[in-house]
Amino acid sequence: MSKGSEKEKDNLKPDNVRQYNADSFNRLVLENQEKIYSLFRRMVSSHDEADDLTQETFIKVYKNLSKFRRESAPFTWIYRIAVNTGINYLRRQKARQYIGLDSVDLKSGDDVIYDSELTNSLLQKAIKKLSSKQQMVIILRSYQGLPFKEVANIMDSTENAAKVNFSHALKNLKSVLENMGVSYESM
Amino acid sequence: MKACKDYEDLLPLYVSGDLSSTDHNKVNEHLKECKECRDYQLSLSAITAVMERDVVEMSPSYGAELVVALNRRLDRRSTWQKRLLWTIPAFATAMAVVVITVISLIKTEPAGNQWIAEMDRERDYLNFTDAGYFGEILVNDSDISNGDTDLSTDDLYRGAVYHIVGNPQISDVDSYLLATANLDDEDFEKVIEQLKYEIL
Ligand SMILES: [Zn+2]
């Protein structure tokens, strides 16, 4: 009922945030877990990593509930925390490779396949070669199917900047795939 | 008249359905007469089609399991925080004593003593943990006494940066990295370089 959902929204107003109890946190988790998990599942290669990042996101949500202002929908706010967590994670990985503690996959030959069909697993490999922001915008727009207005809110940018970012990302993705030897003929 | 290059720039948004109807129509007209751009568009469409079709497989019980895991972690967190408050000052005092002892020992003992190497390593950790990394390193880091000896300074520094950058529990670094979320990757690398410099 609409009356019920209005009441839920009231609970998220700053005045009432302190009363935000475990039940409403749990509900927030249940309502958003699918979106957040699938966002991460598209960013990392294992369930365990995606699960870790999902948990990390909701722990941050919990810790920051009192800071949440209803300038945006809870969904946007949670997504934003998730995107920052994700960008952070990608950058940690990069930083660790950068300082030489994680082995970098130097055998780039592994990635080169000839005249291969474009599959999702190949695409995910290619996406990893983009900058973290470009990865995010591609995931949010094309995989998660969010409109640019929402993507911009989540990534804290303008709609136009998000579109420009997406255009570059998709064009880069195309050339990465071509370098990997993907052919589109079979599509 | 637009050149193919200009159309190429519009094609990603054409494919995702995000162009204004005017631009959309212009692109349509051009695609009719230009095979090169048409091929480009088909490639981009092939890519986005794969992404749009993709479905993430999830266990139907994932949500419930997540709620349980989170509540367990949040319970544990509150008792942990209390414990850390006790641990930090007590350990800090103990370490100060130990470090002084080690420094005096170094004068008499030859280098290479495993224990001293470990203590040196810890002391170095202490030097850059002023900003609140301290307690968590003590409690969580198993690397500290992993028995590595003869670490070069460089190895130690790398280890330290690794620890700070690699430990998701260290919230100060989290916020540092978070503040850089809008940087290009190139600028971000400069920040990491700077982080390395500042921390060490
Ligand atoms: Zn053309």
Side-chain angles (χ1 to χ4, degrees):
Chain A
M1 285 239 331
S2 66
K3 209 178 175 184
S5 70
E6 264 171 38
K7 211 175 175 185
E8 278 168 35
K9 280 181 187 171
D10 280 349
N11 281 341
L12 281 162
K13 278 183 183 167
D15 315 345
N16 295 329
V17 159
R18 274 195 210 105
Q19 295 158 20
Y20 209 93
N21 56 24
D23 281 349
S24 20
F25 171 69
N26 290 346
R27 202 178 331 124
L28 214 51
V29 173
L30 286 172
E31 280 165 4
N32 294 282
Q33 43 95 15
E34 205 175 327
K35 296 181 202 99
I36 301 305
Y37 175 83
S38 53
L39 169 79
F40 288 131
R41 195 66 189 81
R42 274 143 177 170
M43 204 188 82
V44 299
S45 33
S46 73
H47 160 78
D48 286 353
E49 278 172 286
D51 180 38
D52 278 353
L53 290 167
T54 306
Q55 289 199 26
E56 211 51 55
T57 299
F58 283 110
I59 295 278
K60 284 180 191 161
V61 166
Y62 182 85
K63 281 165 77 182
N64 290 290
L65 272 178
S66 61
K67 290 182 202 149
F68 177 60
R69 300 281 176 271
R70 282 203 55 80
E71 286 156 10
S72 54
F75 146 85
T76 308
W77 179 63
I78 294 172
Y79 243 122
R80 187 179 295 177
I81 293 177
V83 163
N84 284 335
T85 305
I87 288 180
N88 246 341
Y89 179 81
L90 295 174
R91 287 179 161 175
R92 265 178 208 291
Q93 275 187 326
K94 202 169 183 188
R96 289 169 62 158
Q97 288 172 355
Y98 175 78
I99 57 176
L101 282 134
D102 276 1
S103 60
V104 189
D105 192 9
L106 293 172
K107 297 175 287 172
S108 58
D110 281 357
D111 291 343
V112 181
I113 35 111
Y114 294 97
D115 290 334
S116 171
E117 214 176 307
L118 181 60
T119 60
N120 194 48
S121 70
L122 216 53
L123 199 49
Q124 289 202 329
K125 246 184 178 176
I127 288 174
K128 289 199 169 68
K129 313 238 169 189
L130 302 180
S131 77
S132 45
K133 271 181 90 178
Q134 289 191 355
Q135 290 185 41
M136 265 322 157
V137 80
I138 284 277
I139 292 173
L140 291 173
R141 178 70 192 101
S142 295
Y143 277 110
Q144 307 286 91
L146 297 174
F148 273 113
K149 195 163 181 265
E150 198 62 57
V151 174
N153 279 337
I154 291 166
M155 297 192 69
D156 207 10
S157 70
T158 64
E159 204 173 324
N160 203 46
K163 283 180 180 174
V164 170
N165 203 0
F166 173 82
S167 292
H168 288 157
L170 193 55
K171 284 162 83 175
N172 285 346
L173 195 54
K174 181 183 175 288
S175 25
V176 170
L177 285 164
E178 264 154 28
N179 290 336
M180 286 166 77
V182 171
S183 85
Y184 303 95
E185 308 299 319
S186 50
M187 298 303 296
Chain B
M1 275 289 282
K2 280 178 190 268
C4 283
K5 174 76 187 67
D6 298 320
Y7 285 106
E8 239 175 54
D9 289 339
L10 290 175
L11 283 174
L13 295 168
Y14 173 86
V15 161
S16 67
D18 292 299
L19 285 184
S20 68
S21 56
T22 325
D23 280 344
H24 188 91
N25 291 338
K26 275 187 207 159
V27 173
N28 265 344
E29 287 307 308
H30 179 73
L31 288 180
K32 275 180 199 160
E33 59 204 33
C34 178
K35 184 177 185 310
E36 211 177 307
C37 285
R38 212 157 51 228
D39 286 345
Y40 199 94
Q41 181 253 314
L42 287 173
S43 303
L44 295 182
S45 296
I47 296 169
T48 51
V50 172
M51 298 195 278
E52 280 157 18
R53 272 202 309 267
D54 179 62
V55 179
V56 169
E57 280 177 26
M58 267 180 95
S59 141
S61 60
Y62 180 73
E65 286 162 17
L66 179 65
V67 167
V68 172
L70 286 171
N71 284 286
R72 222 178 261 156
R73 277 181 71 176
L74 290 167
D75 278 353
R76 208 185 313 149
R77 188 181 285 267
S78 51
T79 48
W80 255 55
Q81 276 166 350
K82 279 177 210 145
R83 208 183 307 153
L84 280 176
L85 284 176
W86 281 102
T87 316
I88 294 169
F91 194 88
T93 316
M95 277 308 291
V97 175
V98 167
V99 167
I100 292 163
T101 318
V102 169
I103 290 169
S104 55
L105 269 176
I106 287 171
K107 288 176 182 160
T108 50
E109 287 267 349
N113 179 309
Q114 186 178 318
W115 185 70
I116 288 177
E118 275 174 31
M119 291 322 293
D120 274 349
R121 203 168 170 217
E122 285 198 42
R123 191 184 49 199
D124 273 288
Y125 270 111
L126 292 184
N127 285 342
F128 59 77
T129 51
D130 296 337
Y133 311 128
F134 193 48
E136 307 198 58
I137 285 178
L138 296 179
V139 180
N140 293 341
D141 188 30
S142 52
D143 301 352
I144 284 185
S145 354
N146 65 1
D148 277 354
T149 52
D150 298 316
L151 283 171
S152 71
T153 316
D154 199 35
D155 285 342
L156 181 67
Y157 284 1
R158 280 165 146 240
V161 176
Y162 164 75
H163 183 91
I164 287 175
V165 176
N167 186 342
Q169 303 298 322
I170 297 175
S171 55
D172 275 20
V173 172
D174 257 342
S175 49
Y176 199 28
L177 291 181
L178 205 60
T180 65
N182 284 321
L183 293 178
D184 295 341
D185 281 11
E186 200 180 308
D187 286 337
F188 173 71
E189 275 174 21
K190 285 182 201 147
V191 171
I192 290 293
E193 191 58 58
Q194 196 193 346
L195 182 71
K196 222 163 132 183
Y197 181 78
E198 276 175 17
I199 291 173
L200 306 170

